[in-house]
Amino acid sequence: MTRRLAEVAKKVGVSEATVSRVLNGKPGVSDATRAAVLTALDVLGYERPTQLRGERARLVGMVMPELQNPIFPAFAEVVGGALAQQGFTPVLCTQTAGGVSEADYVELLLQQHVSGVVFFGGLYAQAESPHDHYARLAERNLPTVLMNAAIDHLDFPRVSCDDAVAVEQAMNHLISLGHQRIALVLGPPDHVPSRRKLAAARRVDPSVTVEHALFTLEGGQAAASRLLTRGITAFICASDLLALGCIRAARRRRLSVPGDVSVIGYDDSSLMNCTEPPLTTVRQPIEAMGRAAVDLLAGEISGASVDHDELFFEPELVVRGSTGPAPHAARIPHPEPRAANA
């Protein structure tokens, strides 16, 4: 600390006491001197104190794994808008195959002295992935919020859609339609939200079948192709893209949806009411989740005490045309979920 004060004071041409006043947010320093001290910190490569990070450009990183899945642009739009309303400038960081990694983006954001970071579906949700860059953020005490489930030991505020409730809604809907051979199409085995979905499904039906796949249309198609050979009549998927892949697999086998096979997605991303048939899916409350994430982040940036317990939001089953009675099965009386006008 003493060395830093001396170097910054020499760079600016002021006393170490003046530098100390700036770093501690004390009055009695001109705006020009305060700006010069903060600039010297940046030039010399020193980290600004937490309470002064916002004085730079009030930048907030929004780190997401891709933009191909429509749910991520939807979250980015809500979070970016809410950040702008609070005077922050969002910086979108999107990974590409063979491009900049999540860890690389963290280093770039730290170099830019951002005020905070919001992550959307990153490596924090995969138990077997590297997590050292999250430790870097924790060491720097940089305000950080994670969207949706994370591995247990990461001590950041989390805003999540309740995966257990989502699967229970989907399972009960299919059971009410007479389906007994239900399968889950989930993300990789180490994906925490997928693990939660599987655990919830097994509480309803311990014998439920599961296939793991990449979060792509092709991954869903390959998984469904394997499951259809086992007589599955209904699919619950961990994303809308996986669900569309299941529908494609059924059609390749000349099966109708929902006449022969029912399919439920997850997210209710854009245009899912325009597919053929319109997709029954579990809707994440994107608006409420995004605004909650920004409120948590803004609280941490301002130095307020923020609860790091996971904040769960209730999903909604949106019943459309991709689910119907099980083939040759009488409908089982069961309270029906509310159908959305979408």
Side-chain angles (χ1 to χ4, degrees):
M1 180 67 177
T2 302
R3 178 184 174 187
R4 178 174 67 168
L5 289 175
E7 289 187 2
V8 173
K10 181 179 179 180
K11 183 78 173 177
V12 180
V14 297
S15 68
E16 292 182 24
T18 297
V19 174
S20 179
R21 295 184 74 82
V22 172
L23 298 184
N24 289 291
K26 301 295 185 181
V29 181
S30 70
D31 291 342
T33 300
R34 188 180 302 276
V37 169
L38 294 176
T39 300
L41 279 175
D42 298 337
V43 171
L44 293 172
Y46 290 120
E47 181 184 0
R48 294 188 181 201
T50 302
Q51 69 272 19
L52 298 178
R53 287 176 185 148
E55 292 190 20
R56 179 163 180 153
R58 293 177 65 82
L59 301 176
V60 170
M62 300 194 308
V63 184
M64 54 188 60
E66 54 160 317
L67 291 177
Q68 296 299 313
N69 188 333
I71 194 64
F72 293 124
F75 267 123
E77 182 178 12
V78 172
V79 171
L83 286 169
Q85 289 176 357
Q86 298 208 28
F88 295 101
T89 301
V91 179
L92 183 61
C93 304
T94 307
Q95 299 169 62
T96 56
V100 180
S101 70
E102 189 175 272
D104 292 334
Y105 272 127
V106 167
E107 290 302 319
L108 289 171
L109 292 170
L110 288 173
Q111 291 172 18
Q112 293 301 312
H113 302 280
V114 295
S115 298
V117 186
V118 181
F119 285 89
F120 306 77
L123 296 178
Y124 60 83
Q126 295 175 230
E128 298 175 9
S129 294
H131 302 114
D132 291 347
H133 51 293
Y134 299 113
R136 290 266 291 142
L137 294 171
E139 290 167 2
R140 296 287 193 94
N141 292 317
L142 186 69
T144 301
V145 175
L146 309 179
M147 299 293 291
N148 281 320
I151 58 175
D152 288 337
H153 71 270
L154 293 178
D155 185 26
F156 296 118
R158 289 158 291 162
V159 175
S160 298
C161 187
D162 196 322
D163 294 295
V165 171
V167 167
E168 289 166 3
Q169 290 177 349
M171 289 284 289
N172 289 335
H173 174 57
L174 293 173
I175 291 170
S176 77
L177 293 170
H179 290 276
Q180 297 179 351
R181 291 170 292 179
I182 301 170
L184 271 65
V185 179
L186 304 176
D190 70 330
H191 184 241
V192 177
S194 292
R195 287 180 173 180
R196 290 181 174 182
K197 290 179 173 71
L198 179 57
R202 284 180 171 161
R203 286 194 291 271
V204 178
D205 179 4
S207 64
V208 69
T209 304
V210 62
E211 281 281 345
H212 295 280
L214 297 176
F215 280 101
T216 62
L217 190 149
E218 293 78 14
Q221 180 181 350
S225 294
R226 295 189 293 269
L227 290 165
L228 286 170
T229 63
R230 301 165 65 177
I232 296 299
T233 66
F235 297 97
I236 299 172
C237 302
S239 77
D240 290 337
L241 287 180
L242 288 173
L244 295 180
C246 291
I247 292 174
R248 178 193 280 180
R251 286 178 172 163
R252 292 285 171 88
R253 292 174 174 267
R254 301 185 183 280
L255 299 174
S256 70
V257 178
D260 299 307
V261 179
S262 288
V263 180
I264 298 179
Y266 183 83
D267 287 336
D268 195 26
S269 45
S270 61
L271 304 181
M272 291 304 105
N273 61 326
C274 300
T275 59
E276 180 52 44
L279 185 66
T280 295
T281 187
V282 179
R283 176 181 293 161
Q284 292 198 66
I286 295 173
E287 184 77 25
M289 291 173 64
R291 291 193 172 277
V294 172
D295 288 343
L296 288 170
L297 189 74
E300 290 228 316
I301 291 172
S302 68
S305 177
V306 173
D307 192 348
H308 283 209
D309 289 342
E310 190 168 9
L311 188 61
F312 286 101
F313 282 77
E314 191 88 355
E316 177 190 6
L317 179 65
V318 182
V319 179
R320 298 193 180 107
S322 66
T323 51
H328 312 301
R331 182 179 175 83
I332 299 174
H334 192 280
E336 270 298 313
R338 179 174 60 85
N341 296 320

